Amino acid sequence: MFQLRKKMTRKQLALLSAGVLTCVVGGTYLIMNHQQQEIVSSVNKVKALTIKEAMEQGKDISLTLAGEVTANNSSKVKIDSSKGEVKDVFVKKGDVVKVGQPLFSYETSQRLTAQSSEFDVQTKANQLQVAKTNAALKWETYNRKVNEINTLKSRYNTAPDESLLEQIRSAEDSVSQALSDAKTADSDVKTAQIELDKANATATTEKGKLEYDTVKSDTAGTIVSLNTDLPNQSKSKKENETFMEIIDKSKMLVKGNISEFDRDKLKIDQKVEVIDRKDNSKKWTGKVTQVGNLKAEEKGQGQGQGGNDQQDNPNQAKFPYVIELDQSDKQPLIGSHTYVNVLNNVPEAGKIVLKETFTMAENGKTYVWKVDKNKVKKQEIKTKPFSKGYVEVTSGLTMQDKIAQPLPGMKDGMEVGSIVKP
């Protein structure tokens, strides 16, 4: 009896195991079949793409590089404590400055020297004026005495009188002295003029030295930071921290390195697409402006190195490149890291260029599946060759239209999202 029950139990266990295995296999088949059906359905679904999205899918990318966004130019200005204390700051954060525009000045002894030289100029100018006035008086005296002696001589010629001769001789001595005084006064004027010229030259020199007390901008741009508290901080902080920073955002650049094996693939004026590494939805366009002939300096990993996403080969020489971004409403942040897609056969702005896989040829005509009111319909288009595998649409579509990727079995009137059965 015990043996029979034991055998029955083994049989039941075998049957139970077989049933469980059948269920597992069946369930696995159903799950895999369902997943496969979902994949097939996703592939065969009618999908609507804007012309821009279709062109995006068809981009011909020859090379992907890494880069870093920089400004056209930048300048970090520090305080030089050896020149003195900061006296005046002529700018504020947000100001747009030009090259050579004063930023701030130092308080130095030179300012007092320059002021003293200006006072000396004024003193010498006053002395010159006094000398000129004195000379004018001396010549006025001389001219008066000349008139007096001429009058005496005229009276003597009319009625000779010995007493008039004595007056004439005395007057001649007086005229001679007046002439000497007048010439001396003229000499004093010349001396005073020389002294004034010297004072002006000194003042100009001393004023020119004040230029060294004023720090001027060495780049055009916008003042993006200004540490107004720094002039009151310690000498150590002044030497190590930035007082103000100027950035020229008139052009935004992307800089990086490219390997020696890829260098020939990068050409001046070649079009590129720049993508933010952290947010791939942020994209910009630009063109290559420089490809270096000299090897780039070594940098750390990820610091603007060229090449694909693979790890850089340390044995490969690298060369710097520069890309100028096209103007846009929202430019990338300075210092952000990017991917750079080097594009081949970039169409002109406003032109529609599609992969040939989006088109269909029937009876000597070319069509696309155009999406209209969420349904597809055949739309005849005119095209011309653009590059290998690409055509330019010359008529039949606009940038505002939507199209669908052709699928075997697709028919007029199918709705977007429906499954196409070949």
Side-chain angles (χ1 to χ4, degrees):
M1 184 72 178
F2 175 77
Q3 292 294 329
L4 179 62
R5 292 179 65 180
K6 186 175 182 181
K7 290 179 181 179
M8 289 291 291
T9 303
R10 288 178 178 177
K11 185 176 181 180
Q12 287 175 348
L13 287 173
L15 290 172
L16 180 61
S17 298
V20 170
L21 181 60
T22 301
C23 291
V24 170
V25 172
T28 302
Y29 172 78
L30 289 173
I31 292 171
M32 292 179 65
N33 187 54
H34 179 68
Q35 290 176 340
Q36 188 174 9
Q37 286 180 345
E38 284 187 343
I39 293 171
V40 172
S41 298
S42 176
V43 169
N44 292 329
K45 276 186 178 180
V46 178
K47 296 178 183 178
L49 298 171
T50 63
I51 294 297
K52 184 178 180 181
E53 289 171 338
M55 291 175 65
E56 190 83 13
Q57 282 190 8
K59 279 181 179 175
D60 186 7
I61 299 174
S62 64
L63 183 67
T64 298
L65 304 170
E68 183 176 339
V69 178
T70 67
N72 183 46
N73 208 345
S74 63
S75 176
K76 291 185 177 181
V77 183
K78 292 189 175 183
I79 295 173
D80 185 353
S81 299
S82 65
K83 291 185 176 181
E85 298 297 325
V86 174
K87 181 178 185 295
D88 296 311
V89 179
F90 308 116
V91 295
K92 62 182 183 298
K93 183 178 178 181
D95 282 355
V96 177
V97 297
K98 299 177 181 178
V99 175
Q101 182 171 332
L103 301 175
F104 67 96
S105 64
Y106 293 102
E107 180 63 77
T108 66
S109 59
Q110 182 58 37
R111 189 177 300 277
L112 295 176
T113 302
Q115 288 177 348
S116 177
S117 65
E118 288 290 340
F119 293 148
D120 190 45
V121 168
Q122 189 59 51
T123 299
K124 294 296 192 290
N126 292 338
Q127 289 175 353
L128 175 61
Q129 187 59 45
V130 169
K132 286 181 177 181
T133 302
N134 184 54
L137 292 173
K138 294 296 183 182
W139 281 107
E140 183 180 341
T141 299
Y142 167 73
N143 291 329
R144 187 179 70 252
K145 289 185 179 295
V146 169
N147 290 332
E148 287 176 356
I149 197 172
N150 288 336
T151 300
L152 289 173
K153 287 180 178 180
S154 177
R155 286 172 57 191
Y156 178 80
N157 291 333
T158 302
D161 186 348
E162 290 298 327
S163 63
L164 288 176
L165 286 175
E166 186 63 30
Q167 293 181 34
I168 290 172
R169 284 193 290 270
S170 177
E172 285 177 342
D173 291 339
S174 182
V175 167
S176 179
Q177 183 61 46
L179 179 60
S180 177
D181 292 344
K183 288 181 177 180
T184 300
D186 278 351
S187 179
D188 291 341
V189 170
K190 290 179 180 179
T191 301
Q193 183 65 60
I194 291 172
E195 292 299 318
L196 176 60
D197 291 342
K198 287 181 179 179
N200 275 320
T202 301
T204 300
T205 300
E206 297 301 334
K207 188 176 180 181
K209 290 180 181 179
L210 280 176
E211 297 291 322
Y212 299 106
D213 294 343
T214 300
V215 178
K216 298 179 180 179
S217 178
D218 58 4
T219 183
T222 303
I223 297 178
V224 296
S225 67
L226 176 59
N227 188 350
T228 55
D229 293 330
L230 190 59
N232 302 318
Q233 301 300 317
S234 66
K235 181 180 179 182
S236 175
K237 277 199 169 186
K238 292 176 186 177
E239 291 175 350
N240 294 306
E241 294 186 12
T242 299
F243 184 29
M244 60 181 72
E245 183 175 8
I246 304 169
I247 294 181
D248 176 11
K249 295 183 179 180
S250 61
K251 294 179 184 177
M252 296 295 284
L253 308 175
V254 175
K255 296 183 179 181
N257 297 328
I258 185 169
S259 73
E260 58 184 320
F261 298 110
D262 292 329
R263 184 172 173 274
D264 290 339
K265 300 176 184 178
L266 204 60
K267 307 295 182 184
I268 300 297
D269 290 331
Q270 196 163 7
K271 296 292 185 180
V272 300
E273 175 186 58
V274 177
I275 305 172
D276 190 288
R277 281 197 192 184
K278 292 184 178 180
D279 185 351
N280 293 165
S281 66
K282 295 179 179 179
K283 300 179 181 180
W284 302 269
T285 58
K287 66 178 180 180
V288 179
T289 57
Q290 293 180 36
V291 182
N293 293 317
L294 300 177
K295 292 181 182 180
E297 295 181 2
E298 293 296 331
K299 295 182 180 180
Q301 286 289 338
Q303 298 300 312
Q305 297 290 337
N308 297 326
D309 294 337
Q310 300 173 355
Q311 185 174 358
D312 288 334
N313 185 342
N315 297 320
Q316 291 182 10
K318 297 178 178 64
F319 299 84
Y321 70 83
V322 178
I323 289 165
E324 182 179 328
L325 295 181
D326 297 331
Q327 293 291 335
S328 64
D329 294 335
K330 192 170 184 180
Q331 297 282 37
L333 295 175
I334 294 172
S336 58
H337 295 279
T338 64
Y339 295 111
V340 177
N341 289 331
V342 182
L343 306 176
N344 291 329
N345 304 318
V346 179
E348 295 179 18
K351 301 286 187 182
I352 299 175
V353 173
L354 299 174
K355 264 190 170 182
E356 289 181 341
T357 54
F358 279 99
T359 66
M360 304 168 291
E362 293 183 9
N363 301 322
K365 295 181 179 181
T366 305
Y367 298 87
V368 293
W369 286 110
K370 182 178 177 181
V371 177
D372 186 23
K373 296 180 180 178
N374 213 40
K375 292 182 179 181
V376 297
K377 68 174 184 178
K378 279 185 181 179
Q379 172 69 39
E380 183 182 356
I381 60 173
K382 301 292 183 183
T383 65
K384 65 180 182 181
F386 183 75
S387 63
K388 186 177 180 180
Y390 293 82
V391 293
E392 180 182 332
V393 180
T394 56
S395 66
L397 285 177
T398 68
M399 292 297 290
Q400 287 70 42
D401 289 330
K402 291 184 179 181
I403 59 174
Q405 181 79 46
L407 296 172
M410 190 179 289
K411 298 178 181 179
D412 274 321
M414 280 190 167
E415 293 188 351
V416 174
S418 60
I419 297 173
V420 182
K421 295 181 180 180

